[in-house]
């Protein structure tokens, strides 16, 4: 008898990718505002889980879903107090009503990077990734508690686009306009002069040169913003990954150790290491005076 060539598993589609991650809970494209994160090698899946918990917890406090918490708490109180008194029909009606209640849409999604140690979590409105990261690094600096085990650095981006010069120019223009809008509304007369520095990081990208990207970003900065590599007021963060680029504008980037939560926790818990400027950011700043990028 001839052997059958096709086994029972041949022709059957995989439910999981080769690295064990289900494709149903990730986005295959990197888009929109979000947060880049670096982590311990081999712990990417664990990092995604801890970031979901962290971001959802912070977002629930900063942008609470209107009526959701109160409805949940009141429903729990009613259920705990009257389960014994209600008959079977009433309990079924409650369960049906709970099923019909609109679900709260997830505000964060893990985007597929296929790269070790690199994770991107996209954000949906009203979440502002810059405000979210700033809130977290402020908490870490005050308490020394990171609330994560594998996460190293968090880099927020206010928007993302395809990595080419026209798209980058459009994204930078929108990002700068949104950042300067409160300042333009509150200022009277000429705007206040400010100093900025471009912090560029590229990964797996060889289409655009670093100088092309830096020059294009600089074109979008307001005229009253001047370059200062030693003591800038604001930092323009530019993250280039493969064919995607993200941009954001932040303040106190060096003060918060370039948003490296592990370094912030170490500075709080082991202050003797940082008393004489031994932090990695301060050392790098001293070594790279005059450099455009880290």
């Amino acid at each position: 008898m001839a052997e059958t060539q096709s086994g029972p598993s041949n022709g059957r589609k995989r439910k999981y990718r080769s690295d064990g991650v289900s494709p149903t809970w990730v986005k295959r494209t990197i888009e929109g505002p979000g947060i880049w994160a670096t982590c311990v090698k081999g712990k990417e899946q664990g990092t995604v889980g801890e970031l979901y918990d962290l971001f959802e917890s912070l977002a629930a406090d900063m942008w609470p879903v209107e009526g959701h918490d109160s409805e949940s708490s009141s429903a729990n109180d009613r259920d705990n107090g009257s389960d014994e008194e209600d008959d079977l029909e009433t309990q079924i009606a409650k369960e049906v009503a709970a099923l019909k209640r609109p679900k709260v849409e997830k505000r964060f999604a893990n985007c597929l990077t296929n790269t070790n140690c690199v994770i991107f979590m996209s954000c949906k409105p009203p979440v502002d990734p810059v405000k979210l990261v700033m809130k977290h690094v402020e908490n870490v600096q005050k308490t020394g508690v990171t609330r994560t085990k594998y996460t190293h650095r968090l880099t927020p981006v206010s928007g993302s686009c395809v990595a080419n010069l026209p798209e980058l120019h459009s994204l930078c223009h929108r990002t700068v306009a949104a950042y300067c809008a409160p300042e333009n509304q509150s200022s009277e007369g000429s705007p206040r002069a400010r100093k900025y520095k471009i912090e560029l990081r590229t990964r797996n990208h060889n289409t655009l040169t670093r100088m092309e990207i830096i020059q294009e970003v600089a074109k979008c900065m307001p005229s009253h913003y001047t370059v200062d590599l030693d003591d800038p007021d604001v930092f323009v963060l530019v993250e280039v990954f493969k064919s995607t680029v993200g941009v954001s504008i932040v303040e106190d980037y060096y003060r918060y150790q370039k948003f490296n939560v592990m370094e912030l926790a170490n500075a709080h818990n082991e202050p003797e290491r940082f008393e004489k400027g031994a932090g990695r950011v301060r050392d790098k700043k001293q070594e790279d005076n005059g450099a455009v990028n880290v």
Side-chain angles (χ1 to χ4, degrees):
M1 180 182 297
E3 294 183 359
T4 305
Q5 296 293 330
S6 60
S9 61
N10 289 350
R12 189 177 299 174
K13 292 184 178 179
R14 288 178 178 268
K15 292 183 180 180
Y16 296 87
R17 299 199 337 260
S18 58
D19 58 0
V21 179
S22 170
T24 59
W25 62 288
V26 297
K27 296 174 67 175
R28 295 191 177 276
T29 57
I30 297 173
E31 57 186 6
I35 300 170
W36 288 98
T38 57
C39 66
V40 177
K41 186 176 181 180
K43 300 296 183 181
E44 291 80 9
Q45 191 168 351
T47 304
V48 170
E50 68 184 17
L51 289 179
Y52 268 124
D53 294 339
L54 172 65
F55 293 164
E56 286 290 355
S57 175
L58 292 171
D61 293 335
M62 300 176 70
W63 302 279
V65 179
E66 187 175 351
H68 176 66
D69 294 335
S70 58
E71 287 180 7
S72 300
S73 58
S74 60
N76 290 334
D77 293 340
R78 290 196 302 268
D79 292 344
N80 294 334
S82 59
D83 276 348
E84 297 179 358
E85 301 176 2
D86 292 340
D87 55 14
L88 181 60
E89 185 176 350
T90 305
Q91 293 180 14
I92 293 175
K94 285 183 178 180
E95 293 179 3
V96 172
L99 293 174
K100 291 182 178 180
R101 188 179 303 151
K103 295 182 179 180
V104 178
E105 186 178 8
K106 289 187 177 181
R107 294 180 279 193
F108 301 94
N110 173 39
C111 298
L112 204 60
T113 63
N114 288 326
T115 303
N116 291 334
C117 308
V118 179
I119 292 167
F120 183 76
M121 303 284 286
S122 67
C123 307
K124 293 183 179 180
V127 176
D128 184 332
V130 174
K131 292 181 180 179
L132 186 75
V133 171
M134 289 300 297
K135 178 67 174 178
H136 181 52
V137 295
E138 287 172 3
N139 292 339
V140 175
Q141 187 183 59
K142 291 177 183 178
T143 64
V145 179
T146 63
R147 299 175 62 182
T148 54
K149 186 177 181 180
Y150 308 118
T151 304
H152 286 171
R153 189 190 308 276
L154 299 173
T155 304
V157 291
S158 300
S160 302
C161 68
V162 179
N164 60 54
L165 293 182
E167 291 290 338
L168 175 60
H169 183 90
S170 176
L171 174 61
C172 288
H173 182 75
R174 297 194 306 270
T175 305
V176 171
Y179 178 81
C180 296
E183 179 180 325
N184 295 336
Q185 293 174 359
S186 60
S187 62
E188 296 180 359
S190 59
R192 179 167 61 97
R194 306 200 72 182
K195 300 173 291 185
Y196 76 94
K197 179 180 179 180
I198 298 172
E199 290 277 342
L200 170 63
R201 183 177 291 107
T202 60
R203 297 186 181 93
N204 302 342
H205 178 83
N206 55 13
T207 303
L208 300 176
T209 66
R210 298 175 66 84
M211 192 52 61
E212 285 177 332
I213 296 172
I214 291 170
Q215 290 176 347
E216 197 64 36
V217 174
K219 292 177 184 177
C220 301
M221 301 305 295
S223 58
H224 60 283
Y225 278 59
T226 58
V227 176
D228 190 326
L229 305 180
D230 298 328
D231 187 26
D233 299 318
V234 297
F235 297 82
V236 183
L237 306 185
V238 183
E239 288 282 328
V240 183
F241 178 78
K242 296 182 179 179
S243 60
T244 303
V245 58
V247 178
S248 65
I249 301 177
V250 301
E251 301 176 10
D252 299 323
Y253 189 55
Y254 286 157
R255 177 189 171 194
Y256 292 114
Q257 297 290 324
K258 295 185 179 179
F259 300 162
N260 188 316
V261 292
M262 285 193 171
E263 288 292 319
L264 283 171
N266 290 337
H268 181 277
N269 300 324
E270 303 176 29
E272 64 278 359
R273 291 178 50 195
F274 294 79
E275 285 178 357
K276 298 180 180 180
R280 293 171 58 190
V281 171
R282 295 189 181 119
D283 289 346
K284 188 67 175 176
K285 184 179 177 182
Q286 293 171 1
E287 294 172 3
D288 277 342
N289 272 345
V292 176
N293 176 50
V294 199

